[in-house]
Amino acid sequence: MTINIQELLDKGYKEFRPTRFDTADRRFQKRFRAENGDTLYFINVDMYYSWGTIPENFEVETQLYQKGTHEPVNLKFFCGWTLADVEEYIQRIYEVGFEPYEES
């Protein structure tokens, strides 16, 4: 992915420590909220140090909840996505038929 750590921090992502069950070397998360304060969803970014020609690799994931049933759907992005593209795409998908993660 075409992401870097400074971009994540500049866009409001907060770093948090991976658990012993995580395979990521570093983790970042951002909460997306509605105007009324409801949490719509979180976007998580996992960073992996690479031994190849790319110094680090990133994967982005989110979980959305279907309107009416609150059944979860997981989405994972990698390869050529930019952070801006991921954020825009997730928002567009959310607006089609999903409800907040939790209500305030």
Side-chain angles (χ1 to χ4, degrees):
M1 293 195 74
T2 55
I3 295 176
N4 65 61
I5 293 169
Q6 191 59 52
E7 177 186 13
L8 290 168
L9 299 174
D10 291 347
K11 290 190 114 191
Y13 286 78
K14 306 293 184 205
E15 186 168 6
F16 65 99
R17 182 182 305 261
T19 69
R20 61 187 172 122
F21 302 108
D22 292 321
T23 58
D25 294 303
R26 295 175 78 176
R27 301 197 78 201
F28 301 85
Q29 184 180 71
K30 183 176 178 180
R31 178 192 314 230
F32 289 80
R33 295 180 188 215
E35 289 181 16
N36 68 359
D38 288 352
T39 298
L40 302 178
Y41 51 85
F42 294 88
I43 294 181
N44 299 306
V45 180
D46 291 343
M47 189 203 84
Y48 302 91
Y49 289 112
S50 176
W51 298 102
T53 57
I54 301 170
E56 61 248 339
N57 292 305
F58 292 89
E59 288 184 357
V60 179
E61 64 182 345
T62 192
Q63 188 170 73
L64 302 176
Y65 295 89
Q66 182 182 29
K67 278 185 185 173
T69 66
H70 206 68
E71 292 297 329
V73 173
N74 291 337
L75 300 171
K76 186 175 272 193
F77 301 82
F78 44 93
C79 294
W81 288 85
T82 66
L83 187 58
D85 289 342
V86 168
E87 287 181 351
E88 179 185 327
Y89 193 76
I90 290 171
Q91 182 60 38
R92 286 190 356 234
I93 291 172
Y94 175 85
E95 292 170 359
V96 169
F98 292 90
E99 61 188 16
Y101 169 82
E102 63 182 1
E103 296 179 352
S104 60

